[in-house]
Amino acid sequence: MKKFTCNPNIIDEKLKIALSLRSLYADAGFSYYESSEFESYDFYREHQDFLVCGNIITFNDTNGALMSLRPDMTLCIINSPFLAHNKQNKVYYDGDIYRVSSFTGRYKCYRQLGVECFGDIKDKDVEGVFNLALASLSTLSNSFALAFSDTRLISKFISTLHLSKAEAANFIKMFQSKNKDGLVDMLKSKRINYNYIVAMRTLIDFPSGTLASCEKELLNICKTMGIEDEANCFKSLLGWIKKGPWAKNVQMDFSLIGDLNYYSGLYFNGFINTIGEAVLSGGQYDKLLEKMNKSGKAVGFGVNIDALGGAIC
Amino acid sequence: MLSIALAKGRLGEKVYNMFKSAGFGIAEMEEGSRKLIFEDKKKKIRYFWVKPSDVAIYVERGAADIGVAGKDILLESQADVYELMDMKCGICRMSVAGKKGFVPKVDKTLKVATKFSNIASKFYASKYQDIEIIHLNGSIELAPLLGLSDVIVDIVESGNTLRENNLVELEVIHDISAKLIANKASYRFHLAEIVNVKSALEKQVGAGK
């Protein structure tokens, strides 16, 4: 095979970042997956809730089919006919997605690089992906943080409070913005058990200390709310997080709430100091597989290469 | 260095005084300078004076770590920020107002004049009511008086402006006050400083300052 060379001076920062991350994922045993930028519109419309934004760019193909420019990589990888769900699939991707920018309100092309691990996977594979997210951030900067939560626990908190669908949506919105005053007012107006209100007030303030101290507070909260079984599942997850090499960069924060219809467990966002938004987002999304009538479990994350640019330190 | 965005104007100055009483003042800011950025390296804080409607944008984008913005701005812009505490100042309400005795017609689309198109849209959508939004940038009270709209959605404080223009408050949409907000990424790296500022401000608010 011919070996190609190039002038290293023409390699820009984003390309260097992408190549570093791709090397990291290849070394971790992930295979490169390439997908088309075009997909049937119906496919994305069916799973619109999973998309970060509901707007999709569509066009008519030459055969009249309504197509869309890919708004998300995960969906098309999970849907791939070439990847069987009765075995373990570990893939990484590097491609463009087309979404509405939350800042400008206009469509924008984003370069997204990430990993998906799905099919017949075990808890240690979830741990592996989480650590790979941390390794990614560590590759990008010396000053980084990964905040995480657990979707099962959040779902359980909400169901314990017996909120209606609209109230639950409001609860989630206030929790996501750490709006403690609004949350407490809402729970008081519903005459929720005072101890539960105190528990939610404590939870919304996470990370209020070290991982160990947050774990202790969380277990007390779960005991107060009578959901110790779910707390025990979370304990094992916390166990390996605390033992990892980047434990000091990890924060427990339940204001991170992914779509409860898709995420089934761990959910996390990664941050680089000096960049004002999350640069990495991911989690365990078994429920998406269920909705797509596929077996197995799934976990992955994506890195927003465009957010990184020249801000890396 | 913690960057703080404050709104230019009366409310921003009131908020600054709260920060000052909490121990985060910068002498240079009280000298009447027209500078927009003030820094105190010893206290590790930096202030920016920005247009009130822009505070949330500066914080959302990370140009400022924290800021103080009105709830009306947060609801209208839907800025993705943490809303950490109520500053208990700038208290008013977002309301629907119209001419005294106004009764909406069932066979006519309600025309709503407002500066707050998103707030108005969401409010009427929650009531499953179809409306026509007329986006205005000021003197909103004129709209129903000149027949441009049926009602307005605007901020009401004492209600004097409405009364002097023969308008009445028909419905309260949301209570409004100034909120301490934080950038979600800054929260990861400046947590101790942000919590310190918040605790100090809470004492100010609690003391009724």
Side-chain angles (χ1 to χ4, degrees), chain B residues 42-63:
Chain B
K42 205 171 161 190
K43 290 182 182 176
K44 293 188 184 173
I45 46 168
R46 180 192 294 131
Y47 287 99
F48 314 136
W49 288 116
V50 306
K51 190 174 167 187
S53 53
D54 293 342
V55 170
I57 298 171
Y58 277 84
V59 175
E60 185 185 33
R61 295 273 208 153

Side-chain angles (χ1 to χ4, degrees), chain A residues 194-215:
Chain A
Y194 176 72
N195 290 332
Y196 289 9
I197 295 177
V198 171
M200 290 299 102
R201 279 177 61 170
T202 306
L203 197 65
I204 209 172
D205 276 340
F206 278 21
S208 45
T210 61
L211 267 182
S213 65
C214 285
E215 180 186 5

Side-chain angles (χ1 to χ4, degrees), chain A residues 104-167:
Chain A
T104 64
R106 308 292 294 270
Y107 280 111
K108 195 180 162 184
C109 174
Y110 293 91
R111 183 173 181 176
Q112 191 176 61
L113 206 154
V115 306
E116 307 294 350
C117 179
F118 60 95
D120 183 19
I121 67 171
K122 307 281 183 283
D123 285 350
K124 67 173 175 63
D125 298 305
V126 175
E127 179 184 343
V129 167
F130 186 82
N131 284 329
L132 198 54
L134 282 163
S136 303
L137 294 170
S138 168
T139 300
L140 300 170
S141 174
N142 293 324
S143 184
F144 66 92
L146 188 73
F148 76 98
S149 68
D150 187 286
T151 315
R152 279 168 303 202
L153 268 177
I154 291 165
S155 296
K156 200 64 192 169
F157 289 138
I158 292 172
S159 72
T160 308
L161 296 171
H162 300 295
L163 301 174
S164 68
K165 202 171 167 188
E167 286 166 345

Side-chain angles (χ1 to χ4, degrees), chain A residues 103 143-145 147 173 176-179 181 207 251 253 255 271-273 275-277, chain B residues 60-62 71 78 81-86 122 183-185 187-191 198:
Chain A
F103 291 137
S143 184
F144 66 92
K173 214 169 159 182
Q176 284 173 323
S177 61
K178 290 192 184 288
N179 182 353
D181 294 331
Q251 298 174 354
D253 191 336
S255 70
F271 302 86
I272 301 288
N273 203 354
I275 298 180
E277 56 181 312
Chain B
E60 185 185 33
R61 295 273 208 153
K71 183 70 179 180
Q78 292 289 291
V81 295
Y82 286 140
E83 195 176 311
L84 298 179
M85 69 174 267
D86 190 341
K122 282 202 169 79
N183 173 272
K184 288 188 172 183
Y187 200 79
R188 307 291 150 212
F189 303 102
H190 298 284
L191 180 57
K198 180 175 167 251

Side-chain angles (χ1 to χ4, degrees), chain B residues 22-167:
Chain B
F24 302 108
I26 296 180
E28 199 189 357
M29 285 180 79
E30 294 143 50
E31 290 165 11
S33 164
R34 297 194 70 163
K35 276 172 72 174
L36 295 170
I37 304 176
F38 299 86
E39 200 172 285
D40 186 323
K41 286 189 165 67
K42 205 171 161 190
K43 290 182 182 176
K44 293 188 184 173
I45 46 168
R46 180 192 294 131
Y47 287 99
F48 314 136
W49 288 116
V50 306
K51 190 174 167 187
S53 53
D54 293 342
V55 170
I57 298 171
Y58 277 84
V59 175
E60 185 185 33
R61 295 273 208 153
D65 299 310
I66 61 174
V68 176
K71 183 70 179 180
D72 54 321
I73 302 300
L74 298 178
L75 288 171
E76 182 63 18
S77 67
Q78 292 289 291
D80 187 21
V81 295
Y82 286 140
E83 195 176 311
L84 298 179
M85 69 174 267
D86 190 341
M87 300 289 288
K88 301 263 196 279
C89 61
I91 294 170
C92 51
R93 31 193 203 284
M94 185 69 65
S95 296
V96 181
K99 284 184 184 170
K100 210 182 279 187
F102 170 74
V103 176
K105 295 198 172 84
V106 293
D107 60 343
K108 206 175 149 226
T109 303
L110 187 73
K111 289 186 188 171
V112 180
T114 183
K115 206 163 86 166
F116 303 97
S117 301
N118 288 332
I119 293 173
S121 300
K122 282 202 169 79
F123 173 68
Y124 283 101
S126 72
K127 291 152 81 77
Y128 303 103
Q129 189 172 353
D130 200 20
I131 58 168
E132 182 187 331
I133 297 246
I134 300 160
H135 185 91
L136 298 174
N137 294 303
S139 300
I140 318 287
E141 299 84 5
L142 264 178
L145 299 176
L146 299 180
L148 179 65
S149 74
D150 299 308
V151 296
I152 63 172
V153 165
D154 202 6
I155 289 183
V156 178
E157 199 175 339
S158 61
N160 286 339
T161 311
L162 291 180
R163 268 191 293 279
E164 285 172 26
N165 288 283
N166 294 315
L167 297 173

